[in-house]
Amino acid sequence: MARIAKTHSIGMDELNRIVALDGPELLHQITLTLHNMFDSQCCSIIEIDKVNYSAQTLSFACSHQIAQPFSYSLSGTPCDIVSKSDSVFCLFEKDVRQQFPQDTYLVDNDVESYLGVPLRNRSGDILGILLSTFTAETKQTSSLIYYHTLFANIVIHSLRSKWLAARSDTLVHQLSHEVSHDNLTGLLNRSYLSNSLERFTQTKSEPFTLAYIDIDNFKSINDLYGNYIGDQVLKFVGRAIEEALQEENQAYRIAGDEFAFITFSSDPLAICQTLISRLNKGYTDPSHRIKISISIGLARKTEQRLTPDQLILNASLALKDCKQTRNSKVQSYDTHLSAQYYRRAMVIDALRNELDRTSDAGSEIYVVAQPIVSLDSERWDYFEILTRWNSDTLGAVSPAEFIEAAEQSGLIIELGERIVELACVAKQELEAGLGYKIRLSLNCSAHELSDSSRYMRHLTKTITRMNFEPREFTIELTETVLLSQTNNVRYILDKLRNQGFTIALDDFGTGYSSLNYIHSYPIDTIKIDATFIKNMLSNETSERVVSLIIQLAKQLDVNLVAEGVESEEALQKLKGMGCNQIQGYFFSKPEIPINIITHYANVSSTRQKGMGQAN
């Protein structure tokens, strides 16, 4: 016969008092209330760890008091059954310890019956259990089930924010690993190498060496032994590089059979010789013995200012020279980059002269717009502004070149102000041609925010003069901005948002740090980097990364834009994943306003003709 306390109900005043509680205090009060109401052996709220297949007590009431929390394995317990059940509750009326002899708690405490109510999130996943155990047979009664399910719903509501935060953190960590690591070898990847080089060139004063490594004749290994053995060889080489290095987490896989490492050692050649000796012993398994040789190119960063791209280029050139030189396994880059420096000086000088001219005096610098298309709307009413430069003396100068030159020469703030002014003129032209209001997305660099007062003053003054409002503009940032002057950046972003501007994080997924900063900064929109979009149709890792970013955006309730969409297949895959804002050549390449207006008119005309034929 069931052991149930005399009081089978609870008054509204008491219930309201319990519901008003929060956190552990609420959980403890619920377990104590149920424990006392039904005279149970214990009442507990547990959280399920699916990774380790275990349970952790969040509240445990026994002998009319709260006991210390503990954890236990789910295997062989009634909780295991509840965690896999679709039922509202699971009741084992008697002989529960005989049914689960591996559950030492049931056996040691002479537990006869068990009631478990699963705690589900909105998607139906069971994340915890509210349970009671009894030392006598327990029959199913309306009050027993009613109060356990009632309090289970209260617990779910209380823990929902905790579970959502945990889910977001899990997605962030999973996404961080996918983005920064190579799936096969477990080494850091090419993207993370670029981040590391950028960090070291900006923050480290001591010299370091970048080494690029290529496995000689790796294709013949794959052809002869098959892809599986080829993969084992790649793993073997990756481990050998890690073991040869003094530094941790500085070994990278950058392409199929290409690796890299960074070392601060004063004798990088010794590390190379150690690595070569290890690999000369060859890869062995019970069926194979494969000799492995490698070629290495070295680029040294000393007091000379070198960008990460230049270091990578120098190491690549050294590696190429090494592979072309007989009897050479290691080659160092030692050629001065005089031609490159001369070109940079010419670009800076021409840019300075151009910025000295007024913006309306036949500017060589101009802006183009690329639509960010919402699949839910037929209008193009959102555009990113990009900058172009067609110099009279240098010809067409790439944005990467003149922006880097502007940053190195201190001209980036003046260039940014010129771009804002040209963007507002382009906005007027687009609205006049399209016949409706549009929004613009403007890129902002860390250098511009270094003088936040000047940036804010010029931005707001310009859009006010042109009769625009802040809500018509999105400010796009890259990870570099978030990495610099943290407190100042947070302040300026809050100020921008308070005025009505929208904040977007550009190139999302390429930087490890940005994945951890989206909780800390006021970000409204994230833009998936075009590299993942372009690769997702042929690369499972890229497709998983895109899917994770889309899930994360939904979890965090931020807007999402996919960049670099060039095909119908990519568009449909993104649409199926739940991404409805698209930017890329599929709709339009970046164009001057008049060309955008003409292009949109042609698209609209084609759409209308198609609808007419369909009717």
Side-chain angles (χ1 to χ4, degrees), residues 22 54 58 90 104 155 157-158 181 204 209 237 242 286 291 299 356 396 408 428 447 477 480 529:
D22 193 19
S54 64
L58 301 179
C90 292
T104 56
V155 171
H157 180 77
S158 172
H181 287 75
K204 298 287 187 181
T209 300
V237 172
E242 287 185 304
K291 188 175 180 179
D356 284 341
Q408 291 187 356
Q428 286 182 326
H447 296 273
L477 313 170
T480 307
D529 184 66

Side-chain angles (χ1 to χ4, degrees), residues 420-421 424 457-467:
V420 170
E421 294 163 3
C424 287
R457 185 168 57 250
H458 180 268
L459 178 65
T460 54
K461 181 180 178 181
T462 303
I463 67 173
T464 301
R465 188 179 76 246
M466 305 291 279
N467 296 317

Side-chain angles (χ1 to χ4, degrees), residues 185-204:
T185 63
L187 300 181
L188 295 165
N189 59 21
R190 186 188 192 105
S191 175
Y192 200 89
L193 172 63
S194 298
N195 292 342
S196 297
L197 289 172
E198 184 171 355
R199 186 169 68 254
F200 291 156
T201 54
Q202 291 179 357
T203 62
K204 298 287 187 181

Side-chain angles (χ1 to χ4, degrees), residues 100-116:
F100 299 94
Q102 296 179 20
D103 190 332
T104 56
Y105 179 85
L106 301 181
V107 175
D108 293 345
N109 291 277
D110 294 325
V111 174
E112 180 68 17
S113 54
Y114 169 102
L115 171 63

Side-chain angles (χ1 to χ4, degrees), residues 24-315:
E25 189 177 359
L26 170 65
L27 304 186
H28 294 335
Q29 189 59 57
I30 286 174
T31 55
L32 276 172
T33 298
L34 290 173
H35 176 51
N36 292 329
M37 281 180 67
F38 296 102
D39 196 21
S40 62
Q41 185 270 330
C42 83
C43 181
S44 179
I45 297 169
I46 66 166
E47 187 173 35
I48 294 174
D49 180 352
K50 294 183 179 180
V51 175
N52 298 308
Y53 202 58
S54 64
Q56 172 69 48
T57 60
L58 301 179
S59 179
F60 184 78
C62 186
S63 301
H64 308 292
Q65 61 183 358
I66 297 298
Q68 289 295 318
F70 60 92
S71 60
Y72 59 92
S73 172
L74 286 173
S75 180
T77 68
C79 294
D80 179 30
I81 304 299
V82 179
S83 70
K84 300 172 182 176
S85 173
D86 294 327
S87 302
V88 176
F89 65 90
C90 292
L91 176 63
F92 298 90
E93 296 184 347
K94 61 179 181 178
D95 300 329
V96 68
R97 64 179 179 275
Q98 285 81 16
Q99 297 178 55
F100 299 94
Q102 296 179 20
D103 190 332
T104 56
Y105 179 85
L106 301 181
V107 175
D108 293 345
N109 291 277
D110 294 325
V111 174
E112 180 68 17
S113 54
Y114 169 102
L115 171 63
V117 180
L119 306 175
R120 292 184 172 89
N121 61 15
R122 287 180 176 175
S123 60
D125 297 327
I126 297 176
L127 302 179
I129 300 172
L130 171 61
L131 66 94
S132 288
T133 59
F134 305 88
T135 55
E137 180 181 341
T138 301
K139 297 294 185 181
Q140 179 176 330
T141 64
S142 58
S143 61
L144 179 71
I145 303 304
Y146 171 77
Y147 280 108
H148 276 79
T149 54
L150 170 67
F151 281 117
N153 287 328
I154 295 173
V155 171
I156 291 170
H157 180 77
S158 172
L159 294 179
R160 182 168 289 143
S161 60
K162 175 186 176 182
W163 288 338
L164 284 174
R167 175 59 176 159
S168 295
D169 289 343
T170 299
L171 286 171
V172 166
H173 292 316
Q174 185 178 355
L175 182 55
S176 297
H177 192 274
E178 290 278 0
V179 167
S180 60
H181 287 75
D182 171 58
N183 282 344
L184 177 64
T185 63
L187 300 181
L188 295 165
N189 59 21
R190 186 188 192 105
S191 175
Y192 200 89
L193 172 63
S194 298
N195 292 342
S196 297
L197 289 172
E198 184 171 355
R199 186 169 68 254
F200 291 156
T201 54
Q202 291 179 357
T203 62
K204 298 287 187 181
S205 58
E206 65 265 41
F208 65 86
T209 300
L210 170 65
Y212 258 35
I213 303 166
D214 183 79
I215 303 176
D216 299 331
N217 302 313
F218 179 72
K219 185 177 183 300
S220 64
I221 295 176
N222 258 343
D223 292 342
L224 184 60
Y225 300 103
N227 290 335
Y228 174 78
I229 295 300
D231 286 349
Q232 303 313 304
V233 169
L234 292 173
K235 293 179 184 178
F236 173 71
V237 172
R239 288 193 298 271
I241 295 172
E242 287 185 304
E243 292 168 358
L245 285 174
Q246 297 175 352
E247 298 88 353
E248 293 185 358
N249 298 321
Q250 292 305 331
Y252 307 82
R253 183 187 178 203
I254 56 176
D257 64 336
E258 292 184 5
F259 297 80
F261 67 78
I262 297 173
T263 179
F264 289 87
S265 170
S266 59
D267 190 2
L269 289 175
I271 295 175
C272 294
Q273 293 302 329
T274 299
L275 176 60
I276 291 170
S277 298
R278 286 177 184 269
L279 295 178
N280 278 341
K281 297 176 183 178
Y283 165 80
T284 59
D285 64 26
S287 304
H288 305 89
R289 183 178 182 85
I290 304 171
K291 188 175 180 179
I292 300 171
S293 65
I294 59 173
S295 299
I296 305 175
L298 301 178
R300 185 79 168 163
K301 166 68 172 65
T302 56
E303 73 285 348
Q304 183 182 14
R305 179 175 177 81
L306 287 177
T307 67
D309 288 343
Q310 288 172 328
L311 274 171
I312 290 173
L313 175 61
N314 292 353

Side-chain angles (χ1 to χ4, degrees), residues 496-522:
L496 285 167
R497 288 187 88 213
N498 290 337
Q499 290 192 13
F501 293 97
T502 300
I503 307 299
L505 182 58
D506 197 13
D507 300 333
F508 188 80
T510 59
Y512 174 78
S513 299
S514 63
L515 302 173
N516 296 319
Y517 288 169
I518 52 178
H519 289 295
S520 305
Y521 288 91

